C-alpha cells in the first residue's frame, strides 16, 4: 500500500471528535508514514492550548495559524495529517489539502456528541447548546467536507482499527494518477 501511495500525504478531515487524531496515528503506523496533527503543531509552536488560543486571538487568529501550519506541512511527503475540524473553512487551505489524498471521516452528530460530552478541549463546544452547535457546524461544513477524495462513514461500533482498515482498503480506488517526468 505504501508503495502504491508513492509518498503521497493523507489528510484526514471531518468534525471534531470523529477520530481524525486517533485514526491518523494508526494509519501512519500502518503505512510507515510520519504523523502530524495540525492542532498539536499549533500548540507546540505557540506554547498554548487550543482553548487559550481561541480566548486570546479568537477563531480568526487560530484559523490563520492553522493555514500557516498546513502550508508548511504540505511541503513534506510520507505523512498522515490529522487536521482540525474547521480546516475546510478557508478556501486557501484546499490548495494545500489537494496536494495529497483527502479522507473525510463522517459520523452522526449523536455519536460525536456522546464522545465529546465530557470534553472541555474543544472551545467551539463550550456553548449552552453543544448538540445544536454540532448540528449547525455539520450543516455548514458538509458541502466542504464533501470535496474530499474519500468519504468514510463512521458508526458507534467501529473501532479505530476497523476504520483505518477500511481507509486502507479504499485508497487504491481513489489514487490520483501521478504526473511522470
Ligand atoms: N472509533 C472510535 N471508537 C471509540 N472512541 C473513539 C474512536 N475514535 C476516536 N475515539 C475517541 O474519541 C475522542 C475524539 O477522538 P479524536 O481522535 O481526538 O478526534 P478528532 O481528532 O477528530 O477530534 C477521543 O477520546 C478518542 O479516544
Ligand atoms: O471543528 C473545529 O472548528 C475545531 C476542531 C478542533 O480539532 P479536532 O477536529 O481535532 O477536534 C480544533 O482545531 C479546534 O477546537 C476547532
Ligand atoms: Mg484532532
Amino acid at each position: 500500500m505504501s508503495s502504491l501511495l508513492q509518498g503521497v500525504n493523507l489528510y484526514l478531515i471531518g468534525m471534531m471528535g470523529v477520530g481524525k487524531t486517533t485514526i491518523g496515528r494508526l494509519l501512519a503506523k500502518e503505512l510507515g508514514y510520519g504523523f502530524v496533527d495540525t492542532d498539536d503543531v499549533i500548540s507546540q509552536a505557540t506554547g498554548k492550548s487550543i482553548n487559550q488560543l481561541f480566548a486570546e486571538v479568537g477563531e480568526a487568529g487560530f484559523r490563520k495559524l492553522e493555514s500557516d501550519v498546513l502550508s508548511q506541512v504540505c511541503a513534506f511527503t510520507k505523512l498522515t495529517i490529522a487536521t482540525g475540524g474547521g480546516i475546510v473553512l478557508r478556501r486557501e487551505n484546499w490548495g494545500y489539502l489537494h496536494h495529497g489524498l483527502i479522507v473525510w471521516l463522517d459520523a452522526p452528530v449523536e455519536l460525536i456528541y456522546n464522545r465529546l460530552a465530557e470534553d472541555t478541549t474543544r472551545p467551539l463546544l463550550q456553548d449552552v447548546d453543544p448538540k445544536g452547535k454540532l448540528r449547525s457546524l455539520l450543516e455548514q461544513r458538509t458541502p466542504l467536507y464533501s470535496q474530499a477524495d474519500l468519504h468514510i462513514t463512521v458508526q458507534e461500533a467501529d473501532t479505530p482499527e476497523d476504520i483505518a482498515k477500511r481507509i486502507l482498503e479504499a485508497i487504491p480506488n481513489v489514487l490520483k494518477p501521478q504526473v511522470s517526468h
Side-chain angles (χ1 to χ4, degrees):
M1 170 60 66
S2 174
S3 63
L4 206 65
L5 267 174
Q6 294 195 312
V8 168
N9 290 342
L10 286 189
Y11 292 93
L12 297 183
I13 67 170
M15 288 289 282
M16 57 186 99
V18 77
K20 301 177 297 294
T21 301
T22 309
I23 290 148
R25 203 173 274 127
L26 271 179
L27 283 172
K29 217 171 178 184
E30 290 279 332
L31 290 167
Y33 267 29
F35 174 66
V36 173
D37 183 289
T38 55
D39 284 340
D40 288 349
V41 176
I42 294 168
S43 286
Q44 279 159 19
T46 58
K48 293 175 179 180
S49 69
I50 303 298
N51 274 333
Q52 266 177 303
L53 285 167
F54 267 69
E56 290 176 18
V57 298
E59 182 172 350
F62 173 79
R63 297 290 172 218
K64 171 83 181 63
L65 291 168
E66 191 170 55
S67 293
D68 288 347
V69 167
L70 184 65
S71 72
Q72 292 182 33
V73 158
C74 80
F76 295 85
T77 59
K78 292 188 83 177
L79 291 178
T80 297
I81 297 133
T83 63
I87 204 135
V88 295
L89 295 171
R90 279 184 148 214
R91 189 187 292 258
E92 67 179 271
N93 290 349
W94 284 93
Y96 302 128
L97 294 169
H98 279 304
H99 283 273
L101 205 71
I102 310 168
V103 181
W104 172 24
L105 296 182
D106 181 20
V109 162
E110 204 64 36
L111 182 158
I112 296 171
Y113 176 75
N114 291 340
R115 267 195 204 159
L116 296 182
E118 305 297 320
D119 188 291
T120 54
T121 63
R122 269 67 171 193
L124 292 176
L125 288 193
Q126 305 311 303
D127 191 277
V128 282
D129 176 17
K131 199 185 278 191
K133 180 76 185 207
L134 278 173
R135 255 191 224 106
S136 72
L137 286 175
L138 181 59
E139 189 181 295
Q140 178 202 8
R141 294 174 180 181
T142 293
L144 301 167
Y145 291 142
S146 303
Q147 297 178 69
D149 300 303
L150 191 56
H151 180 185
I152 300 286
T153 307
V154 172
Q155 281 163 353
E156 199 78 54
D158 296 339
T159 65
E161 289 75 15
D162 291 336
I163 299 161
K165 184 162 175 276
R166 238 181 316 131
I167 293 170
L168 291 172
E169 283 169 359
I171 284 175
N173 305 324
V174 291
L175 275 179
K176 299 168 191 172
Q178 294 294 298
V179 181
S180 56
H181 297 281

